[in-house]
Amino acid sequence: MEELKCTDFGNDFIWGVSSSALQIEGGNTDGKGLSIWDEFSKQKKAILNNDTPEVACDFYNRYRDDIALVKELGIPNFRISFSWARIMPEGEGNVNAAGLAFYHKVIDTCNELGIVPWVTLYHWDLPLALEKKGGWTNREIINWFNNYVAVCVNEFKDKVKHWMVLNEPMVFTGAGYFLGAHAPGKKGLSNFLPAMHHAVLCQAIGLKIIKKIQPESIVGTTFSCSYITPNSTSQKDIKAAERMDVLLNRAFIEPSLGLGYPIKQIPFLKNIKKYFLPGDEELMKAGFDFIGIQNYTREVVKYTLCVPYLQSKIIPADKRKVFHTLMDWEVYPEAIYKMIKQFNAYEGVKKILVTENGASFPDEVLQNQVDDKNREQYINENLECVLRAKREGNKIYGYFVWSLTDNFEWAEGYKQRFGLIYVNFNSQGRIIKNSGYWYRDFLKS
Ligand code: GCO
């Protein structure tokens, strides 16, 4: 491995580590409302091993110690998210003072320790009360979200400067409202298309509200992305890969840049127009200070008739017999380089930050240590690619590891461990993994 130094990236490069409320907090107490994930995890087999986010990493009680670990690792930026239902238990109306008080304590702890908090306003944990009214499929979500964002920004504008509006809208609408694999478990185009359109509107409107209340804020939003390659040189596979790329990598950013939905390339999206009101085309446009891209892998795609609408499918990494993580995501560091370049090519993108990148491997605790060389190598190789992109002049300004601690990995429950810090979910003990020490030493370099 080439010996990377953090100074290679320049002195103003932003280094951080990421997390999200539902995945770490637990603490369904002190007036917090339930979220769609609390409900979804009650359904048999919805989540691997019937795990639930009820306790997670108990960050609700252990936030001081965990933020102290961020400090111990010398990580200057910590990405968290706010739980909407903790702040507004019904999603609208009443504001829960205890919920706000919790986030004040978290943010004050960060600020006291000299760690910059970066807050995502929506990381998938919709208040259950709103889902009962249709959730993301109901256009009312625009008002609900507006009010929630305004409450948060008014409350924290003196302490938080960096905001992200949504986390990975493609995943929460695709997995949650099309495939039914994530909460709330809805399926089909008639759920997906309105959810998608309303998420696109909320991502733009959220930005505008934040800027109005806090003009000096730095506002982004985050997009999942995977580098897509065709399985063969056949025209059918090439076209299938293009459609997958459009859906996974372009469908949410392009409307925000004023380019509209990529309907030409994936015609089934045209029905999204059914959910348009006059003026929406304008409303979808954003103008973020930065975009967060979250990349873990590449996908190899082939043509198939069996997948409705898209006629393309992803060939799992284990089938391709390539080195992969426990999530069955191919280890392919070049993907992050390709994605930075792909997003960099949009004129409207001002700055790119990698707001998530990391890997789940089957970690083993031996004598109170976790020697996770594969994770260390994964991060190292990904960083080499980020550095190459930077040296070539791409607008890349920061990198956040996913994740601080092992946590509740959505439908995968607690099996998948992405942390720089190992969590024993029985005792809630923490062990800094060797990858965590590696990141600390790298940040010192
Ligand atoms: C996402 C989410 C994270 C995940 C991570 C690993 O990108 O899917 O933001 O919450 O835990 O990506 O899958």
Side-chain angles (χ1 to χ4, degrees), residues 94-112:
N94 272 351
V95 174
N96 177 27
L100 291 176
F102 169 66
Y103 291 117
H104 274 292
K105 288 188 289 184
V106 169
I107 285 160
D108 290 347
T109 307
C110 288
N111 288 335
E112 279 158 30

Side-chain angles (χ1 to χ4, degrees), residues 96-155:
N96 177 27
L100 291 176
F102 169 66
Y103 291 117
H104 274 292
K105 288 188 289 184
V106 169
I107 285 160
D108 290 347
T109 307
C110 288
N111 288 335
E112 279 158 30
L113 294 176
I115 295 161
V116 181
W118 293 61
V119 177
T120 308
L121 287 157
Y122 184 75
H123 201 127
W124 304 2
D125 45 356
L126 189 73
L128 181 59
L130 297 183
E131 183 55 38
K132 291 192 170 147
K133 298 177 187 162
W136 284 97
T137 68
N138 184 343
R139 194 172 169 111
E140 267 301 296
I141 188 103
I142 296 174
N143 291 325
W144 303 329
F145 189 66
N146 273 356
N147 294 335
Y148 161 65
V149 172
V151 165
C152 294
V153 180
N154 275 315
E155 183 73 26

Side-chain angles (χ1 to χ4, degrees), residues 204-239:
I205 295 168
L207 163 82
K208 288 163 204 162
I209 295 171
I210 304 172
K211 285 289 184 185
K212 196 165 152 209
I213 301 174
Q214 190 187 5
E216 72 286 8
S217 57
I218 296 172
V219 187
T221 199
T222 76
F223 300 106
S224 48
C225 58
S226 295
Y227 176 50
I228 307 290
T229 55
N231 184 46
S232 77
T233 53
S234 81
Q235 272 309 306
K236 278 192 160 171
D237 281 353
I238 290 172
K239 290 273 174 234

